[in-house]
């Protein structure tokens, strides 16, 4: 076994805990639960991913489970105690392959710390690994670098990466490590914030360094770079297409993730027809394209009020995938037809959007996003770039308020509870226009949802605490996640 890297790999000098963030860290190159030796730790990784995915989806949709994993310190502490306890159990029972088993348990503990935005703790455990002569896995480097990106601690991540290279650490000059460095730069801002040219320049330099080190870019590299093009203030479609051609020329077959990432660029660049043609090419080439590839194109077409193009995209998605809903979490269905509501509202106003929603209601295709779009049309919300894509219709305030009131009543009729974010938004609208009773109603709904959020996070925390003291039985955690709102 190679000698352990020297102490300078430790990087706990800088200190800021990240206690909140919106976007998921779950990407290729991460810990694969299938390869974990400990059954309890393998299941814990799967449940942690499921819990974070629920939080991230909820954050994007604004519903009641909004990032409970990040909002409750007790929950974070309970999860980390579980991973720490399992590490101690592995260490106590490890036999011939003690170093490998203990190293894996440390890697998973670091992974969990980064997932929970406890970056300082992750580096402390990394330092302990190094002191004990345990060789970190390249995925540990990747987790720490990605964590630095989410924590906006880019200098810390750069120092850490340079220390890996200086020490010639095993796996430092790997695609996994370089991909994580690129990822760190591309996620230095929380969505939906965009990146400026000087903020992405370091990511492109990292690619150059990767090639200079003789490390060939892989699918994850190209997917990350295409995604980077979509995150710029002005989506860089020419560069994204160049990366796609280079990927193809390197003999790397694009996956469904590649196609979906490329569609994000086409959508943000307002090049929907070209994106649709590229989707056709991918399907004809045998790529298994998932439903979420259509979402950026549908969003842009709908925001333009292009009803015909929206209908064509909906028909194409259903024809190719056989689905009319986006692949999502269990009961958090998002019907693709919601974009029909938005497109018709942008083009012809609130009455057209309401008629489209009522038609969707008749076939059971209504969900919280349906009403989110209806409220957008009611109060004249603009939808992202390109700037000026959708301008309010100039209706007087009282007309917009009447539309918002009607949308609220329809939502109640359908038994769909307003999200916390919608309540907050409508509280401001109603309070600012003197409709105090309506504002109080929105405030009460916010308070109820917040109480349920807190109760849900406490329930999950208790389940993880019980698992930590019951030998690693995570059945109650799984049940709590299934029952989450």
């Amino acid at each position: 076994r190679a000698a352990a890297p020297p102490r300078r790999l430790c990087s706990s000098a800088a200190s800021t805990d990240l206690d909140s963030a919106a976007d998921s860290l779950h990407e290729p190159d991460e810990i694969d639960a299938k390869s974990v030796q400990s059954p309890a730790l393998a299941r814990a990784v799967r449940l942690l991913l499921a819990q974070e995915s629920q939080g991230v989806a909820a954050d994007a949709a604004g519903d009641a489970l909004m990032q409970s994993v990040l909002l409750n310190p007790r929950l974070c502490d309970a999860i980390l105690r579980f991973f720490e306890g399992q590490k101690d159990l592995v260490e106590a029972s490890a036999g011939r392959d003690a170093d490998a088993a203990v190293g894996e348990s440390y890697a998973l503990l670091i992974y969990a710390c980064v997932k929970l935005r406890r970056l300082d703790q992750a580096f402390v455990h990394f330092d302990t690994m190094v002191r004990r002569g345990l060789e970190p896995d390249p995925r540990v480097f990747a987790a720490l670098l990605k964590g630095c990106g989410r924590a906006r601690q880019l200098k810390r991540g750069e120092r850490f990466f340079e220390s890996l290279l200086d020490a010639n650490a095993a796996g430092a000059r790997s695609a996994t490590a370089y991909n994580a460095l690129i990822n760190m730069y591309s996620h230095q801002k929380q969505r939906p914030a965009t990146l400026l040219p000087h903020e992405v320049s370091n990511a492109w330099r990292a690619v150059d360094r990767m090639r200079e080190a003789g490390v060939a870019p892989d699918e994850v590299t190209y997917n990350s770079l295409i995604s980077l093009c979509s995150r710029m203030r002005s989506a860089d479609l020419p560069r994204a297409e160049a990366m796609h051609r280079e990927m193809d020329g390197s003999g790397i077959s694009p996956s469904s993730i590649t196609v979906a990432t490329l569609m994000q660029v086409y959508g943000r660049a307002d090049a929907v027809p070209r994106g649709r043609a590229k989707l056709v090419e991918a399907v004809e080439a045998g790529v298994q394209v998932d439903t979420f590839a259509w979402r950026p194109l549908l969003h842009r077409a709908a925001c333009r009020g292009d009803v015909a193009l929206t209908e064509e995209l909906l028909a194409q998605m259903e024809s190719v995938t056989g689905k009319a809903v986006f692949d999502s979490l269990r009961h958090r269905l998002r019907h693709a037809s919601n974009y029909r509501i938005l497109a018709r509202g942008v083009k012809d106003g609130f009455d057209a959007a309401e008629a489209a929603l009522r038609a969707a209601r008749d076939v059971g295709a209504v969900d919280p996003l349906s009403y989110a779009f209806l409220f957008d049309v009611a109060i004249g919300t603009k939808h992202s770039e390109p700037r000026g894509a959708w301008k309010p219709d100039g209706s007087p305030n009282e007309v917009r308020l009447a539309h918002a009131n009607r949308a609220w009543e329809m939502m109640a009729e359908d038994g769909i509870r307003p999200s916390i974010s919608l309540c907050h938004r409508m509280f401001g609208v109603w309070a600012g226009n003197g409709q105090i009773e309506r504002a109080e109603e929105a405030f009460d709904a916010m308070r109820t949802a917040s109480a349920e959020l807190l109760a849900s996070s406490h329930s999950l925390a208790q389940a993880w605490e019980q698992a930590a003291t019951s030998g690693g039985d995570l059945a109650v955690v799984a049940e709590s996640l299934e029952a989450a709102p």
Side-chain angles (χ1 to χ4, degrees), residues 73-93:
R74 176 190 172 192
L75 179 55
C76 294
D77 292 341
I79 295 171
L80 291 182
R81 276 198 298 272
F82 177 88
F83 277 87
E84 288 166 355
Q86 289 299 306
K87 174 189 68 66
D88 293 341
L89 286 175
V90 169
E91 197 163 1
S93 60

Side-chain angles (χ1 to χ4, degrees), residues 260-302:
T261 305
L262 195 56
M263 292 308 108
Q264 291 175 3
V265 189
Y266 282 112
R268 286 210 56 235
D270 202 24
V272 177
R274 287 168 64 183
R276 185 178 173 221
K278 187 65 70 173
L279 271 176
V280 172
E281 286 180 22
V283 171
E284 290 176 349
V287 180
Q288 188 71 34
V289 183
D290 294 315
T291 56
F292 50 77
W294 275 267
R295 194 165 194 162
L297 304 183
L298 281 165
H299 187 83
R300 177 54 55 221

Side-chain angles (χ1 to χ4, degrees), residues 323-403:
K323 297 178 182 178
V325 297
F326 297 114
D327 298 320
S328 187
L329 289 162
R330 298 195 326 270
H331 49 282
R332 286 198 174 86
L333 289 178
R334 295 291 178 262
H335 294 88
S337 57
N338 287 328
Y339 287 102
R340 181 180 291 127
I341 298 169
L342 180 58
R344 293 186 179 177
V346 172
K347 182 175 184 291
D348 297 317
F350 181 83
D351 289 342
E354 181 184 351
L357 189 144
R358 290 187 183 278
R361 176 197 270 178
D362 290 342
V363 295
V366 170
D367 59 54
L369 186 61
S370 312
Y371 281 99
F373 284 159
L374 188 62
F375 275 100
D376 285 343
V377 175
I379 61 179
T381 306
K382 289 186 185 179
H383 263 262
S384 65
E385 61 289 308
R387 291 185 180 86
W390 173 11
K391 295 183 179 178
D393 60 10
S395 299
N397 244 19
E398 58 269 20
V399 174
R400 292 194 210 168
L401 283 170
H403 289 163

